[in-house]
Amino acid sequence: MASSVLPRFRAPSVIPGFGLALGFTLTYLTLLVLIPLSALVLRSSSLGWEEFVRLALDPRVLAALRLSFGASFFAALINAVFGLLIAWVLVRYDFPGRRFVDAVIDLPFALPTAVAGIALTALYAPNGWVGQFLAPLGIKVAYTPLGIVVALVFVSLPFVVRTVQPVLEEIDAEVEQAAATLGANRFQTVTRVVLPSVMPALLTGFALALARSVGEYGSVIFIAGNIPYVSEIAPLLIVIRLEEFNYGGATAVAAMMLAISFLMLLAINLIQAWSRRRYGHGA
């Protein structure tokens, strides 16, 4: 009697092999995720608290961390807005070349990041195809933090589009028509009908784009200029510390990136859970 009341550890399934699958999953995650991260934490703890604080709070390290996370946040925010717009156009409208545009969205997935960085640098350099028109206006993109944001927007756009697009496809257009018949204008339909339905997926895409941007290296180093305190990102600083055989300094920067990334993703997941509770039950 009591056993029927207690929750089951696993749901009944017609496919056997739960124990084997769970063991393989835990082993895989341990080898690829937990052990490397644990090694990083242990290596950081071996430095000693005073030494770690000295290395982590170095002004150059703080400037690199501020640039990496700040540029990643703005890039993810830009993609959250325009990625939603692109997904809406691809789902709601049928136009010539739609399939081509839909395929181009996935190009940053397949394109090597170094190739993307070289191409963006050639475009936005002061004598580039686009940069030559921006230079007379006093807008410099290449070799500035703005160029880093441009590169991060390029590499992280597909994460938002591909996360939001399936959700928009599931929203029946008749729901929007019903809102219109009830007297809602287009702005009210978007803000009160469409956005609540896609908000959890949009936050997921934002988190994925942010995570992708924070760890980006190849496409950024070509367009950033890599000037310390100005356009030097944290991943590049880790590489520089390793080339200097300063393993303690590289470990401190990596540990700081790990801690900040964990806190940011935790906050986003909490907001996403709140969004699901807020809008999921009311949908």
Side-chain angles (χ1 to χ4, degrees), residues 140-191:
K140 186 178 180 181
V141 178
Y143 316 122
T144 65
L146 180 58
I148 298 176
V149 175
V150 171
L152 296 181
V153 167
F154 174 82
V155 299
S156 61
L157 176 63
F159 290 92
V160 177
V161 177
R162 294 310 183 208
T163 305
V164 175
Q165 189 174 358
V167 179
L168 288 175
E169 291 174 349
E170 295 178 357
I171 300 177
D172 197 340
E174 294 181 356
V175 176
E176 304 164 24
Q177 297 173 2
T181 58
L182 293 175
N185 55 35
R186 293 185 177 181
F187 179 78
Q188 291 173 331
T189 301
V190 171
T191 55

Side-chain angles (χ1 to χ4, degrees), residues 252-264:
V253 179
M256 289 289 291
M257 289 193 68
L258 176 63
I260 298 174
S261 299
F262 178 79
L263 292 176
M264 292 182 67

Side-chain angles (χ1 to χ4, degrees), residues 148-252:
I148 298 176
V149 175
V150 171
L152 296 181
V153 167
F154 174 82
V155 299
S156 61
L157 176 63
F159 290 92
V160 177
V161 177
R162 294 310 183 208
T163 305
V164 175
Q165 189 174 358
V167 179
L168 288 175
E169 291 174 349
E170 295 178 357
I171 300 177
D172 197 340
E174 294 181 356
V175 176
E176 304 164 24
Q177 297 173 2
T181 58
L182 293 175
N185 55 35
R186 293 185 177 181
F187 179 78
Q188 291 173 331
T189 301
V190 171
T191 55
R192 298 187 179 183
V193 177
V194 178
L195 278 183
S197 300
V198 303
M199 186 59 68
L202 185 61
L203 289 174
T204 301
F206 175 84
L208 292 174
L210 178 62
R212 176 69 177 85
S213 299
V214 168
E216 178 58 25
Y217 177 80
S219 65
V220 174
I221 58 173
F222 293 99
I223 197 173
N226 307 321
I227 304 174
Y229 302 99
V230 178
S231 59
E232 183 180 57
I233 59 175
L236 175 62
L237 184 57
I238 294 175
V239 175
I240 293 175
R241 292 288 186 257
L242 291 175
E243 291 177 347
E244 296 171 346
F245 300 100
N246 186 0
Y247 300 116
T251 304

